[in-house]
Structures are given as structure tokens and as C-alpha cells.
Amino acid sequence: MARTTASRRPAQPAQPGRPQPPRRRRTFGDVVRALLAFLALAVLVVGVPVALLKIVGSPLPHSYSMEVLREPITTETFINVLAVVVWLAWAQFAACVIVETKAAISGIGMPSRVPASGPSQLLARQLIAALLLIGASAASLTPGLAQLGNLHDQPHRGGPAVTAQQTPGQVQQHQQRAAGGTQQQGGGPASTTVTPGAAAAAEAAKEATKFYRIQPPEGRHHDSLWEIAERHLGDGRRYNEIYQLNKDRAQPDGSKLSKASLIRPGWIMEMPADARGGDLVEMPVAAPKPAPDVQHYAERGGVKDTAAEGAHAAHTAPVRTPAQTPVQTPAQTPTQKPAQQPAHAEEAPVGPAVAAPSVSQGSGHGFGLPEALIGAPLLAAGLLAALGRRRRTALWQSVTAGAVRTPRTPNGPEADAADALRIGADADTVAFLDRALRALSARLASDGGKLPTVYAAWLTDEALHLQLAWPEGQPPAPWQLGQDQTFWRLDRADLPADADVSASAPYPGLAALGTLDGARLMLNLEAVPGIVSLTGARADREAVLASVAAELATNGWSDRMTVTLVGFAEDLTALAPARIRHLADVPEVIETMAAETAQRSAALRTAGQDNVLTGRTGSAQHTQRSPHLVLIATEPTEEEADRLAELAADSGRLGIGYLVASARDDLPGAAWALEVTSAGRLLAPLLGLDLEAQLLPAAQYEAILGLFAAADPDREPSASVPPFMVDLTDQGRPGVYARLLGPFELIGLETPEAGRSLLLHEALALLLLHREGVHPRVLASALWPRGVTDDVRDALIDRLRDWLGTDADGSSRMSYDATGRLVLSSTVVSDWDVLQTLHHAASEGPGADDPQTRRRLLADALALARGSLLEDRAPGRYGWLAHEIVDAQHPVLVAEVALALAGLHLDAGKPKAAVAAVQTALAVTGSDERLWLALLHATHATGDPARLEAAAESLLARNHTLNGAARGLPPRVEALLDELLPSWRGSIGSIAN
């Protein structure tokens, strides 16, 4: 329970003209209550043991013998046992009295909690509070009564930092609400004119209304509305009543309560009428400005300034235990850097916790896409990157198998999921997070420092806030202290472009749980001192677990990691085969983790390290333990839950984290308890959190797995058809022809005005590379990755439609399909479309069986390879190509065409034509080893040794450019050179080296 801290400043004379607070006089009822409290304490503390000693005697037996266990139970035995129970109850109550008396006399800090003594300690607290009413000096020692005692006896002193201290404007608002008075708007002291009846009503309101002042975190865990409701209303679930009473009310620091989880030290909370507790006070009196201690809270965000307290200036920041450290929201507005605070609290309002995010693209309507993926930028970025890697792996594996496979175009829910990933992915933020954390680790290693234990991170558009387990002093530049000693902050603009990011990932266990006012909370699962439990409906729990698992599997701020999953409906291994591991049930997890826990503990002892963080900096960082995170979706039995709690007791320092979903809210060993609601909120009452949960619902979960399954590199290559087949006859002459392979050129369209040309060309290129259709929100996120409003996006779409014009039948060349995607008509064609059509016709179409027709089709296709895809793209544009398989598919397809054509030329006895075909492809994809081998074969077939030596020399130079002098030629190329040109090592090889 919160305590008041009386000011120790010297008394100051009253100022002329300064209104003095009214005195609160002790009533006859106060005296009676105090005397009754004294009698009750005397009876309970002294009378009970005296009566027991006279009636029953000492609770301790006079002699000890095992024979007493064989004796029959008599009335005397029953009375003795009952007496022992009463003695124990008395001892417990006496301990409560001692604890509460000590806390009341000191007037500082939070009373210790006597185990299993809730009602007894509450009774002791109330009796002592009533007893201290007997004198004014004693009243100043009682929580919630300190203000009344000090103001009554010493009206000229500076106001203490009492539980309910308000600014004059707030007092006027309460007086107006209670008495109907008028508020003075001037800058001087407040005055209120009321009628006698209104004054009586105001007095009645004062008697009925209670207030509570949010306490600072100094020496105790942070206040939360849940705890306040639990202490004073008897039920933490009534926290919403307190929130509704105080919502949008101005606070002493000038800000307002807008979220139930965002409360700050020094704020004043009006309490429901039935609130009870010694640290509540009635309506505070008016004062011309906040008391000095209140100024400190308004100016410093709750951090007490002890430097002005003389002998108390030597202040050590309290070290909080893990169980006491809540996850907080950074209090400073992230878009502003810390500035010098004004001298007066009235001039220094503290800003909102975090800045609201900018308007995102396409936020006006959902278009039917899964918003859960769109609203999870880190998760979407990881999944999109992993999907791209898997598709490229499948592409190259199909090349190795001898049958290039066109990636299957997703449809239905999978297409929606793919679009949502493209819209939601924020690769820049992932890169910033990864570089910032690695740079911090590298800087600490170079300075000889150690990595701090981080419980959570808050990521905003402007900055990264790390919440430490305990204060670690001043962070290394460019990091700076945040809202208090337990926050380190880095603004995005302050991260140097040349920062050393060679260190291992220091906090790979960070996983996003949700957002609060635009700030994304990431919990460091491997640092939690115990289990993180998750309650709620089963479907909601599974959606949270799926999101966490998918992000851990694919995130870009981790190096090595093991994610063990239990009870997941589908196999997530496809997302990251090197990270994901599925186990059958909880007993198997217990067996596996028991062995690993013992192994890690022994390894740390052998290395002389206290935790895994110690080994993540320095020269040996790459050999240290990677995190192992265990996600359990299966309900554990009582025995299994107890065993998991034992394993998790020391998991924080071992780099092992446990996230367990359960229907029970009392899971053993749970350090942090989370609850997901059906409304999509993630609650952690004891941590003061109420987030918009990051979810991966079952439908999106299945769609994501479908996307990865379609890109399975191990599946059998099969014949594939391009998504768009061009009519190659004279009747299929296009109305608009775009050249994307090489410099971007357009035929059949007017040149747009210079200011709009780049956007229109890029939008058209995106549509041409996605003949299946492009969602308007995907188009917007591709063209404006930092965000755009709906009206700007829609204006571009209208302008693009007008620019493309209409076909001969009057239909628009760009329209919406049944799914709401933008599609081009068949009269708008690109050279990429023609290349795919020609290759398909030559390999699987009507020309596949006719060498002459096939050679003609392949020659026409290779003639289209003028260069790399969109090689003249403007700097900063076409960033979306990094996630497109076409960027890798284009050079592979060109190489396939050249190799097939060269083979046909060699079969026809035309080696020079074969060399020309291979050299054309090398200009597009110079690193393809298959082309190097084909060039040597074709050149050797010319029978000209000088030409072969020149070809070998060109390959050596190309290899030097690509790989450097340290790496030699690929083994297969070297072996072929040894066969075709045995002298190459002595002549060309020495020149290259």
C-alpha cells in the first residue's frame, strides 16, 4: 500500500495575502474511535496472551515423547490444540501490528506484507490509523492523514508530498462540480463564490469523495489501477471504475489520463464512493501552486530529486527484483528529445507516453485483407523475407533438377495473406532494430562494459526504448537515458550509418506482443525470471502463440535460436527449418529441457560466467549459447506444471524462455501473467499493461503455411504455365508495349508530365510484373513505403487509368477484378511477358518437338535480354523488387534460354553462334556457373586455342571481380579448364594471381 512522504524542508513564514488552508479539527467521534482502537489493540495484543496463559497455560509442551501420538484424543487435548491455533493467530496479528506501527512512525515507504495475513493486517492498519487520530503530532505519521495533521498545526509550512495534492485549477473544478461555484480564470490565487447552501453541499461532497495519489516507483513496484482497485475496492477487476472517473481529467503535470495502463507518479485519482484504505484522503484544499515535492514529480516524471535534501542527498537507485519490475511505457514523447525542464511545474507538462503513428496507407477501408498481418510490421517483414528465401531456394533447386519451375501464383486466402505481408512489412524498422542492438553490443564490448539485462523494448516510429531490469548507469553514446534510470533510448536519427554492427545479436529473444498508442511492446522472453503464462479463450491464446512463434522463427534481429513448439496444430518448420522444432507433448519437453538446463548451468560454471549475456560480448561471442524459447499450447497437468516451474526458476540467466498457454490463471512459476481477451486486447494487470494484441488468427495462420508449402523446394518439379500468355500472332499486336528487361521503355503511350513520370512508370511496372492483379493497398505500400493517404493513392490510380487509356472497344486498359485488385488488359504487354511465353512455347509448347522452330523461339526470346530487370531504376525507387521472385527468376530464365539455344547451335555445328548466345546471357547474369561451363565447351568446339585462352582469361577476370583474389575458380570450372586447356595454370593462372 502506498505511503506519504512528508517534506523535510524548513518552515517558512506565511506570505501576506496568501490564502491559508482551512484547519481540520478533530471531532468527538475521532476521539471515541481512537479510544476504541486503543482498547481493541490492548485486548488483542495484551489481553489475549494473558488470558491464554491463565486459562490454558504455555503453548509449549513440558516434555517430548512419542507416546503422546498413541494416547487417545481427549477434551483436554482438543483444548490444547485449539489454544495453539489461537496462539498462532495472535502471533500473526502481533506481527501485523508491529509492521504497521513501524511503517506509520517512519511515514516512508510501503509496509511489509505479513504472509497470509490480509484481513489481520488490514485490521491492524485501521486500528493504528484510528489510534493516531488522538494527537496532531501523531496524525502526521498516518498514511493519508499526514496532510490534515500538518496543515492543522503548521499552516505556514510548505505542503508535504501528500497522497492527494492537487493544483488550484483542479480544486476549483471539484468545487464547481460539488457546489456550482464559478471559477476564476486569472493567473492569481483561485477564489470561489458560493452560497451557504452550496457551501454545505461542497462540504458534503468533500466528506463523500476520496482521492488517491499515484506513488513513485522508488523502492517499490510501480502503481497500477488494478492494484489500487484491489487494495481499496477489494477487487482488481474494478480498475475500470477508477479509469472512468478520471478519464480525460487534467493532472498536476498538465497531461490527461487516456489509457488505463498509462498512469504517472503524482497524478490524482478520484476513487469510487465505497473505496476504503488508510492511504486515501478526502478532497484536498486549495493552494496557489503545487507543493515542492509535487513539482519534482511534474518536472521529473516521478523521479525524486534527493540532491536538495541535505543529508539525504546521497541517493542510490533502488535495485528492483524481477518480480517487482513492471513493463512500462516510455513516458517521454518519442518525437522529441529530452530538453531542459522549466522551473515551475505549471510550465512543464509531461507529454503523452508515445506519439501517435502517422496515417498508414490505405487505412480508410480494409479491402478484405487480413488486418492482423498488416498491423504487424515486424512479423510481416520476417515472413516476407523468409518466403522470398524459400522461393529462391526452390527456384535454384529446380534449376539443379534440370527443370526450371515458375512459382505458383497464390489465390484466395493465400493471395490475401501475401498482399497483407507486402503491405504490412517494414523492413527499414527491422534493419534499424537489428543494427541498433548490435551496435550497442559492439560499443559495450569495446568499452569493456557488459550487456544490461533487458526485460522489454518499446519501438516507435522515432526511437527504440530498452527497459532494463535494474539501473545500469549512463548508456554509451549515442544512447541516452530515457524517462528514468531503467530506460535506455536511441533515436533513429542518432544511429550512425557506419556503426559497428559486427557483434552477435544481443537480445534475440525479443518478440512483439502488441501496441499501445503507436508504441510496439517487445518482451524479451529469454530474460523473464520464470514462466510467462497466457490465459484467455483457446482460439485467442493460439492466435497469440502463432504470432510469437512465427516472428521468432523469421525475425531479422537474431542469429542462432531454437524455438521449440508443443501443441501447435500445424507444422511451422517450413518457416525456418534451422530454428523451429516440434515436440509431441509436455513430458517430452520436460525431459528435453531438463537435460539442456543442466548442460547450460554446467557450461556457465565452467566458463566462469553468471549468465548468457556475459558471453555475448567480446571475442568469444560467436561461441556462446543461443537462446532456446519454448512455446507450449497444450494444457499441462498439475505435475507437469510444477516440473515446468522448477525448470523455469533459473531460466532467465541460462537464455531459456517459457511461454505457456493455459486456461488456469494460477500457473505455478509464472513470473508474468498475460491475458488475451476476445476483443483482441492483451492484459497484464500486475504489469500495468493493456495492449492491442498482435495476433495470427487461424485463417491467416493456415494461409501463411499454404504460401510456404507452395514454395517447398523439395517438391517434385512440374510443368508450369506463365501467369500471362501473350498472343504471338499478328492479331495479338499490343496496344501498349513496355520494355522492362534493361532500360525502361514504353511504346504506345504519351510521355507523362515530368513531375508524375516516375510514379506512373513504377506503378505500371508493378502491374506488369503481377498479371494476377495488384491490390490498391499493395500498390500504395510499394510506391510510398513510408505511408500515404487514401486520397493521394486513389488520385494516382485515376491518373494511371487515364494515362493508359482505352482499347479499341472502348474498355479501359486498367480495371478492377472481382477481388478488388487492379488488373491490366491483354493489350498491355511487356517484354518479360513475351520472354516467358516464348520459353514456354519452346520447352513445353508446340515448338518443343521441332528443333528448327524451337531454335527460332529461343533466339527470339534471347534477343529480348537487353540487360537486367529495370536496370535504370531511379535511386530510392523500386524497393519492392527486393521481395519479388521475379528479380531472381529473370536471370535464371535468361540463362535457361541461352543454354538451350547454345546446345541447339552446337548440335547444328554452329559453335560460334553458341558462344554468342552464352555471351549474351553472361551480360545479364554473369555469375551463373552453368554459363561459364557452356562458354568453355562452345569455345573449345570452335577449334581455336587462342579463342579458348581468351575465354578462360575472361572467366578468371570475372571471378576476380565477383569473389576477389582469395577465392579461386569454382571446382567444376577448374576441372574443365584442366581438361580443355592444361596450360592455363602456368600462363593465365599466374597472371590472374
Side-chain angles (χ1 to χ4, degrees):
M1 105 180 237
R3 285 283 173 189
T4 61
T5 304
S7 173
R8 291 184 174 86
R9 292 176 177 78
Q12 299 177 359
Q15 300 177 9
R18 176 176 175 173
Q20 301 299 319
R23 300 170 181 263
R24 183 190 185 278
R25 303 184 181 277
R26 292 186 300 278
T27 64
F28 178 74
D30 293 336
V31 177
V32 171
R33 282 193 293 271
L35 292 176
L36 291 175
F38 175 77
L39 292 175
L41 283 171
V43 170
L44 293 173
V45 176
V46 180
V48 170
V50 170
L52 286 172
L53 288 172
K54 287 186 176 181
I55 299 173
V56 182
S58 172
L60 300 176
H62 300 292
S63 61
Y64 299 92
S65 174
M66 296 299 295
E67 294 298 327
V68 71
L69 299 177
R70 300 186 180 93
E71 295 178 358
I73 299 176
T74 63
T75 303
E76 182 180 0
T77 305
F78 178 78
I79 293 176
N80 288 336
V81 172
L82 184 61
V84 170
V85 174
V86 176
W87 272 111
L88 291 175
W90 171 84
Q92 182 189 58
F93 180 77
C96 295
V97 171
I98 294 173
V99 168
E100 292 296 326
T101 303
K102 179 178 179 294
I105 292 175
S106 66
I108 299 175
M110 175 182 174
S112 301
R113 293 184 178 180
V114 180
S117 302
S120 298
Q121 190 164 3
L122 179 60
L123 176 60
R125 183 179 306 149
Q126 298 296 336
L127 291 175
I128 292 173
L131 178 61
L132 292 178
L133 280 172
I134 202 166
S137 60
S140 63
L141 308 176
T142 308
L145 300 175
Q147 179 193 31
L148 303 180
N150 286 338
L151 293 180
H152 177 75
D153 290 329
Q154 300 170 354
H156 57 281
R157 295 184 61 175
V162 295
T163 305
Q165 176 70 49
Q166 286 191 332
T167 59
Q170 289 173 300
V171 175
Q172 286 177 326
Q173 292 172 8
H174 281 289
Q175 289 175 336
Q176 285 179 337
R177 183 163 30 167
T182 58
Q183 178 180 352
Q184 180 180 344
Q185 301 296 334
S191 62
T192 306
T193 303
V194 295
T195 63
E203 289 299 323
K206 290 180 184 180
E207 291 296 328
T209 305
K210 298 294 180 68
F211 296 88
Y212 177 86
R213 175 177 154 199
I214 306 302
Q215 295 298 297
E218 186 174 347
R220 65 188 296 281
H221 62 279
H222 295 247
D223 253 342
S224 69
L225 292 187
W226 180 283
E227 289 184 319
I228 296 170
E230 196 170 51
R231 289 198 302 269
H232 302 296
L233 300 177
D235 187 351
R237 291 172 295 183
R238 295 183 61 187
Y239 77 94
N240 194 50
E241 297 179 30
I242 306 176
Y243 170 68
Q244 293 299 333
L245 281 174
N246 297 275
K247 182 180 179 183
D248 297 329
R249 278 182 47 199
Q251 293 294 336
D253 60 6
S255 54
K256 296 180 180 181
L257 176 65
S258 59
K259 292 282 186 180
S261 57
L262 289 180
I263 58 175
R264 299 183 191 157
W267 279 11
I268 311 301
M269 297 288 108
E270 181 180 342
M271 301 293 290
D274 61 336
R276 297 290 183 272
D279 53 350
L280 297 176
V281 298
E282 297 167 2
M283 181 175 289
V285 297
K289 63 179 179 180
D293 280 353
V294 176
Q295 287 184 351
H296 288 305
Y297 290 123
E299 295 171 2
R300 305 175 190 275
V303 180
K304 187 177 181 181
D305 184 6
T306 56
E309 294 190 4
H312 301 279
H315 174 68
T316 302
V319 178
R320 291 189 286 260
T321 62
Q324 291 175 320
T325 306
V327 178
Q328 305 172 56
T329 308
Q332 189 176 12
T333 305
T335 55
Q336 299 174 347
K337 294 186 178 181
Q340 183 67 34
Q341 298 288 355
H344 300 289
E346 298 92 337
E347 302 171 8
V350 179
V354 287
S358 58
V359 178
S360 63
Q361 64 268 23
S363 58
H365 47 89
F367 285 97
L369 294 183
E371 296 293 337
L373 290 171
I374 295 175
L378 306 183
L379 170 62
L383 288 171
L384 194 60
L387 183 60
R389 290 191 297 269
R390 188 172 175 86
R391 284 175 170 170
R392 283 169 171 79
T393 300
L395 178 65
W396 283 108
Q397 193 157 319
S398 69
V399 170
T400 304
V404 177
R405 182 174 53 196
T406 301
R408 180 174 67 83
T409 302
N411 53 56
E414 293 178 13
D416 291 342
D419 285 343
L421 292 179
R422 295 189 185 99
I423 297 169
D426 190 348
D428 290 341
T429 297
V430 171
F432 164 69
L433 176 63
D434 182 45
R435 295 181 67 251
L437 295 178
R438 292 180 191 271
L440 174 63
S441 179
R443 179 61 184 272
L444 288 172
S446 65
D447 294 346
K450 65 175 184 178
L451 284 169
T453 299
V454 170
Y455 279 160
W458 290 91
L459 189 59
T460 70
D461 291 338
E462 303 296 332
L464 170 64
H465 306 255
L466 296 182
Q467 185 171 351
L468 314 185
W470 43 76
E472 295 281 2
Q474 190 70 27
W479 290 79
Q480 55 188 307
L481 286 177
Q483 66 190 62
D484 59 33
Q485 295 287 330
T486 61
F487 275 93
W488 285 6
R489 167 186 171 133
L490 175 67
D491 291 336
R492 289 203 186 197
D494 292 342
L495 180 62
D498 59 348
D500 181 7
V501 295
S502 60
S504 296
Y507 305 112
L510 286 171
L513 294 182
T515 56
L516 178 63
D517 290 344
R520 190 166 302 277
L521 171 64
M522 306 183 71
L523 194 63
N524 190 8
L525 292 175
E526 68 165 332
V528 177
I531 292 174
V532 178
S533 68
L534 176 66
T535 60
R538 180 169 181 173
D540 298 325
R541 298 198 311 259
E542 290 177 349
V544 172
L545 285 178
S547 170
V548 173
E551 185 172 288
L552 290 174
T554 61
N555 73 44
W557 54 90
S558 302
D559 294 324
R560 298 173 300 155
M561 180 191 299
T562 300
V563 182
T564 295
L565 306 178
V566 183
F568 281 69
E570 298 288 343
D571 193 342
L572 283 172
T573 306
L575 274 61
R579 288 190 186 182
I580 295 291
R581 177 176 66 176
H582 282 263
L583 294 182
D585 50 28
V586 177
E588 186 177 356
V589 170
I590 292 174
E591 180 182 357
T592 302
M593 298 313 300
E596 183 165 343
T597 298
Q599 184 184 27
R600 290 196 176 212
S601 297
L604 285 179
R605 287 194 301 269
T606 302
Q609 298 171 351
D610 55 351
N611 60 63
V612 293
L613 283 179
T614 308
R616 288 190 185 158
T617 54
S619 58
Q621 57 181 292
H622 296 287
T623 65
Q624 303 307 316
R625 289 282 181 178
S626 59
H628 189 164
L629 304 176
V630 182
L631 278 59
I632 301 177
T634 302
E635 184 79 39
T637 64
E638 290 286 346
E639 182 179 353
E640 292 168 350
D642 292 338
R643 187 69 180 108
L644 285 172
E646 294 175 7
L647 291 174
D650 198 28
S651 61
R653 70 183 190 90
L654 301 178
I656 301 175
Y658 294 87
L659 176 57
V660 181
S662 173
R664 54 188 294 188
D665 55 5
D666 58 345
L667 195 69
W672 291 341
L674 308 176
E675 177 189 358
V676 58
T677 70
S678 58
R681 308 296 299 179
L682 191 68
L683 310 178
L686 295 181
L687 303 178
L689 290 177
D690 185 348
L691 308 171
E692 181 180 351
Q694 179 171 298
L695 306 172
L696 186 56
Q700 283 83 64
Y701 179 71
E702 294 175 1
I704 292 296
L705 292 178
L707 288 172
F708 278 81
D712 184 2
D714 295 327
R715 69 186 177 98
E716 290 293 329
S718 57
S720 57
V721 179
F724 175 69
M725 297 287 287
V726 179
D727 183 358
L728 299 177
T729 65
D730 291 340
Q731 290 75 22
R733 187 177 301 276
V736 176
Y737 183 69
R739 291 176 176 171
L740 307 180
L741 308 181
F744 196 170
E745 296 179 8
L746 283 174
I747 299 173
L749 288 177
E750 297 291 335
T751 302
E753 56 183 290
R756 306 188 187 278
S757 177
L758 287 178
L759 279 176
L760 289 174
H761 278 75
E762 185 173 358
L764 179 57
L766 180 63
L767 289 168
L768 286 167
L769 294 176
H770 287 276
R771 301 302 305 221
E772 72 278 7
V774 176
H775 203 286
R777 294 181 70 177
V778 173
L779 178 69
S781 64
L783 300 182
W784 295 280
R786 297 176 62 87
V788 69
T789 56
D790 292 352
D791 55 341
V792 174
R793 178 202 64 209
D794 294 341
L796 174 80
I797 292 174
D798 292 340
R799 194 175 297 115
L800 180 61
R801 182 190 297 108
D802 294 340
W803 180 48
L804 291 174
T806 59
D807 288 327
D809 59 359
S811 61
S812 177
R813 289 174 175 155
M814 186 186 76
S815 59
Y816 288 95
D817 66 4
T819 66
R821 289 175 171 81
L822 295 167
V823 293
L824 296 173
S825 72
S826 59
T827 61
V828 182
V829 177
S830 73
D831 51 359
W832 173 241
D833 298 325
V834 177
L835 175 63
Q836 292 183 94
T837 302
L838 289 170
H839 176 261
H840 181 267
S843 56
E844 301 177 31
D849 299 327
D850 183 1
Q852 185 174 355
T853 303
R854 188 165 185 255
R855 185 167 56 249
R856 178 179 57 80
L857 292 172
L858 292 173
D860 290 344
L862 190 61
L864 298 173
R866 300 178 304 132
S868 59
L869 183 68
L870 296 167
E871 65 180 22
D872 61 345
R873 66 190 75 165
R877 308 302 311 179
Y878 297 90
W880 46 271
L881 274 175
H883 302 300
E884 299 288 340
I885 187 62
V886 66
D887 217 15
Q889 186 184 3
H890 164 243
V892 169
L893 191 59
V894 169
E896 284 290 314
V897 169
L899 291 171
L901 182 59
L904 289 174
H905 284 317
L906 288 176
D907 292 341
K910 300 178 179 179
K912 293 183 179 179
V915 170
V918 173
Q919 288 177 334
T920 299
L922 282 172
V924 175
T925 172
S927 61
D928 195 327
E929 183 182 338
R930 298 174 303 159
L931 292 175
W932 294 20
L933 295 172
L935 178 64
L936 293 176
H937 278 298
T939 307
H940 180 264
T942 63
D944 187 347
R947 185 188 291 269
L948 179 60
E949 187 170 333
E953 187 174 351
S954 69
L955 292 181
L956 284 168
R958 188 183 296 273
N959 182 72
H960 186 277
T961 301
L962 293 173
N963 302 316
R967 291 184 57 185
L969 288 169
R972 294 196 303 167
V973 177
E974 280 194 5
L976 184 60
L977 275 175
D978 289 338
E979 174 66 25
L980 301 180
L981 190 65
S983 62
W984 77 274
R985 294 184 184 274
S987 55
I988 306 172
S990 61
I991 296 174
N993 293 331

